[in-house]
Amino acid sequence: MSEVRLSVEPRTEFGKGAARRTRRAGKIPAVLYGHGSDPRHFALPAIEFARVVRENGSNAVITLDLEGSVELALTKTIVVHPLKNYIEHVDLLVVKSGEKIVVDVPVVVTGNPGPGGLVNQDVDTLQVEVEALHIPEQFEVSIEGLEVGSQVLAGQVELPQGATLVTDPESLVVAVNEPQREESGDDAEAGEESAEAAE
């Protein structure tokens, strides 16, 4: 993952009004915590941070330049406004180069199953322990040509070197099922007639 560097400003005002003013100024209220240090409050540049997440995913590791001191941080929580779709707040976690951390990595299913197969994806992410600077953006699970009845478990997903699976290896990731049989026309009509008779 390429290094991403952002210059951030300390925040001295708190509360809803202060957060609104920060957002109006084109910045996002954020908190940095971890490694036994007191939480630090600052403002992230909104456009640059949104681009970082778009290009590096929700587990982006960022080098923060905070008034001359440099800190490596993992994006931990991104709170998005439910209606207006802008980022309201960000929590970041201090990480050290070489340190291993536990993160949720998105699972992307690729390919098409064999004839008549219906794909059911059970989990969207897998939890892994991995070095902070080598977090995979996603895990690809190919179901190309899999027959009805086939399953892919978490333990069968290929992980990059140095990554350890934390999710239960028996967890179902994706299954190829038989499509549900639809009611025939006669069955549906009989159901409607009995419903009318019951009224």
Side-chain angles (χ1 to χ4, degrees):
M1 191 180 287
S2 57
E3 185 192 50
V4 179
R5 198 178 185 101
L6 289 180
S7 292
V8 298
E9 298 169 6
R11 276 194 304 140
T12 52
E13 289 186 301
F14 304 102
K16 286 187 176 177
R20 272 197 296 271
R21 283 194 291 278
T22 300
R23 286 192 287 268
R24 271 202 301 270
K27 296 180 170 54
I28 304 165
V31 179
L32 177 69
Y33 60 94
H35 279 279
S37 58
D38 289 334
R40 279 176 281 173
H41 300 262
F42 54 88
L44 288 164
I47 292 169
E48 287 91 331
F49 180 75
R51 187 173 64 240
V52 168
V53 174
R54 201 167 50 244
E55 292 174 358
N56 297 275
S58 56
N59 288 322
V61 174
I62 304 165
T63 302
L64 299 173
D65 191 340
L66 181 59
E67 294 187 314
S69 75
V70 173
E71 200 77 78
L72 201 60
L74 169 73
T75 307
K76 196 67 182 166
T77 311
I78 299 172
V79 180
V80 177
H81 191 283
L83 300 175
K84 298 180 182 174
N85 207 30
Y86 63 81
I87 298 173
E88 288 190 300
H89 182 87
V90 176
D91 284 339
L92 296 143
L93 188 64
V94 176
V95 292
K96 304 293 181 193
S97 183
E99 175 186 19
K100 285 206 164 188
I101 52 175
V102 175
V103 290
D104 291 323
V105 177
V107 174
V108 176
V109 176
T110 62
N112 296 301
L118 189 69
V119 180
N120 275 351
Q121 185 173 347
D122 253 42
V123 295
D124 296 323
T125 60
L126 288 181
Q127 202 169 63
V128 294
E129 186 181 47
V130 66
E131 203 178 310
L133 295 183
H134 295 94
I135 301 171
E137 272 186 53
Q138 61 187 40
F139 296 129
E140 283 196 11
V141 176
S142 174
I143 53 153
E144 188 61 47
L146 288 186
E147 296 175 4
V148 169
S150 299
Q151 294 183 335
V152 179
L153 304 179
Q156 296 171 304
V157 176
E158 195 175 330
L159 303 183
Q161 193 174 352
T164 308
L165 186 67
V166 176
T167 299
D168 180 354
E170 295 299 311
S171 293
L172 178 64
V173 176
V174 65
V176 180
N177 297 328
E178 205 171 346
Q180 293 292 314
R181 186 179 70 86
E182 288 186 22
E183 280 189 312
S184 68
D186 294 343
D187 291 344
E189 281 172 24
E192 283 169 18
E193 283 170 14
S194 60
E196 284 171 14
E199 283 176 1

